Amino acid sequence: MNSRPLNSLGFAKPPSETRVVVAMSGGVDSSAVAAQLASEGYDVVGVTLQLYDHGAALAKKGACCAGRDIHDARRVAETMGFPHYVLDYENTFREAVIDEFADAYLAGATPVPCIRCNERVKFKDLLATAKDLDADCMATGHYIQRKTGAHGPELHQAADPARDQSYFLFSTTAEQLSYLRFPLGHLQSKAETRALAARFGLPVADKPDSQDICFVPDGNYAAVIEKLRPGAADPGEIVDLEGRVLGSHRGVIHYTIGQRKGLGIGGLGDPVYVVRLDPETRRVVVGPKEALSTRRVPLREINWLGDAPLDSRAEWAVSVKVRSTRPPREAILRPVSATEAEVELLNPEEGVSPGQACVFYDPGSSRVLGGGWIWRGR
């Protein structure tokens, strides 16, 4: 039996004999991770994915995985003295993330492409590349914790609730979790990360956080979708819950569930909200705020991280997030199969939208139990 103590990444060998691929976006978080591990003597290899066109990306501040950020990641690697590689994943990113994003909006859903990017690109293709490089593990700058439990590695929320990224990482599988490391998850604030970067003299120590979705300039989703899917912004009718026409709109893709402002149908007295999008009839359905309340949420494509199989029980008491910005709420999870279920919210939520994720948490701890994708149901 090997009695050597585990190093900080959980391996029973010296850091110098432990190769770790660090997924470097060019931001301060992943840069701090790479610098910290290099300073501890690990065999660090930095890898940055080019996900979309350099020219378009250079014009946008606060993006990631593009021209300026690739340059910044390279400078960090040079500062700390470890190798750095750039991989062209433009086609993969378009097929696995951008195309689905556009199609989901056209179908009246509200997609979360950052989750798909983690699931289909970073934790799939990049993780495979890390293994091809004979790395012992792959580290990222995500704010989430990996803890060892009685049945193996567990996913837990970050120590800093304000930075927690568990909503965007629910689809991380148990197999991927065994290979991944998240060195920032235990930090109490983003200020600690910036201080770490400053201590190593990194040029990105004061770099602003990335904003919005990386391939959507200035948050203008509709413009991106119109470019990807010409004709997507065909006009249609705004109707109430009984189907009465209240006005016209300039394309379903310009609206989201729960939207109140910008409807252009004043003079109705009480405020109305977007309750449903019907892309087949090109109708935007509006109604009073109470019409947004949802108690039952159908889910599919569930990734379950609990110790026992999802469908080994008729129901699970969980806490759930139906939006990344909302706190977990008490709910009952009722499996339909190993990958489908219905969530019953003990207190109704407003603005639950198809295309969003519903993430499960253990009510008694910080543990993430997985999650699924919200859809309209049968």
Side-chain angles (χ1 to χ4, degrees), residues 108-148:
T110 309
V112 192
C114 298
I115 297 176
R116 290 302 197 193
C117 182
N118 290 326
E119 174 188 317
R120 297 177 174 177
V121 182
K122 293 177 183 175
F123 291 176
K124 183 183 176 185
D125 294 338
L126 179 54
L127 192 145
T129 297
K131 291 182 176 180
D132 288 342
L133 292 171
D134 293 326
D136 293 284
C137 63
M138 185 173 92
T140 80
H142 289 107
Y143 288 88
I144 195 166
Q145 298 187 80
R146 173 190 184 275
K147 298 183 178 182
T148 301

Side-chain angles (χ1 to χ4, degrees), residues 45 153 167 173 242 251:
V45 179
Y167 183 86
T173 66
E242 283 72 45

Side-chain angles (χ1 to χ4, degrees), residues 77-129:
E78 290 171 354
T79 299
M80 297 303 298
F82 58 82
H84 174 257
Y85 302 98
V86 179
L87 304 180
D88 184 354
Y89 272 58
E90 212 167 307
N91 290 337
T92 300
F93 186 68
R94 172 179 280 273
E95 293 168 4
V97 180
I98 297 180
D99 283 346
E100 185 189 81
F101 170 82
D103 291 339
Y105 256 103
L106 290 182
T110 309
V112 192
C114 298
I115 297 176
R116 290 302 197 193
C117 182
N118 290 326
E119 174 188 317
R120 297 177 174 177
V121 182
K122 293 177 183 175
F123 291 176
K124 183 183 176 185
D125 294 338
L126 179 54
L127 192 145
T129 297

Side-chain angles (χ1 to χ4, degrees), residues 358-373:
C358 178
V359 180
F360 318 139
Y361 300 88
D362 178 0
S365 73
S366 62
R367 187 175 179 184
V368 184
L369 296 175
W373 293 94

Side-chain angles (χ1 to χ4, degrees), residues 16 31 43 47 81 92 147 259 328:
S16 60
S31 296
D43 179 10
V47 176
T92 300
K147 298 183 178 182
Q259 180 177 335

Side-chain angles (χ1 to χ4, degrees), residues 308-323:
L310 173 64
D311 52 2
S312 64
R313 292 189 196 173
E315 58 182 44
W316 299 80
V318 294
S319 295
V320 302
K321 276 190 181 185
V322 293
R323 288 282 177 101

Side-chain angles (χ1 to χ4, degrees), residues 169-335:
L169 295 167
F170 83 83
S171 61
T172 305
T173 66
E175 182 182 4
Q176 292 166 344
L177 191 56
S178 67
Y179 193 71
L180 289 165
R181 300 293 188 274
F182 308 106
L184 301 183
H186 69 287
L187 299 184
Q188 297 298 319
S189 72
K190 181 62 176 265
E192 289 186 53
T193 304
R194 293 197 181 279
L196 194 63
R199 192 167 85 223
F200 294 118
L202 302 186
V204 297
D206 296 319
K207 186 174 180 177
D209 290 343
S210 59
Q211 302 293 328
D212 297 320
I213 296 170
C214 64
F215 59 89
V216 181
D218 304 317
N220 191 343
Y221 305 102
V224 172
I225 296 163
E226 286 184 70
K227 184 177 179 182
L228 293 168
R229 302 287 187 270
D234 291 343
E237 298 171 334
I238 299 177
V239 302
D240 64 16
L241 295 172
E242 283 72 45
R244 289 187 292 264
V245 178
L246 303 177
S248 60
H249 64 76
R250 54 197 177 94
V252 171
I253 61 172
H254 291 279
Y255 301 86
T256 57
I257 305 296
Q259 180 177 335
R260 175 186 171 187
K261 296 181 179 179
L263 301 181
I265 49 171
L268 296 177
D270 295 331
V272 295
Y273 301 77
V274 175
V275 174
R276 189 171 68 252
L277 300 172
D278 191 343
E280 292 183 5
T281 62
R282 298 206 305 276
R283 281 184 155 188
V284 173
V285 182
V286 299
K289 190 173 185 180
E290 53 266 26
L292 286 170
S293 291
T294 301
R295 186 178 289 276
R296 296 184 182 276
V297 184
L299 305 176
R300 59 185 176 183
E301 290 185 67
I302 289 175
N303 178 56
W304 179 248
L305 294 172
D307 295 332
L310 173 64
D311 52 2
S312 64
R313 292 189 196 173
E315 58 182 44
W316 299 80
V318 294
S319 295
V320 302
K321 276 190 181 185
V322 293
R323 288 282 177 101
S324 63
T325 54
R326 297 182 183 177
R329 304 289 176 87
E330 289 183 311
I332 302 298
L333 173 65
R334 296 189 177 92

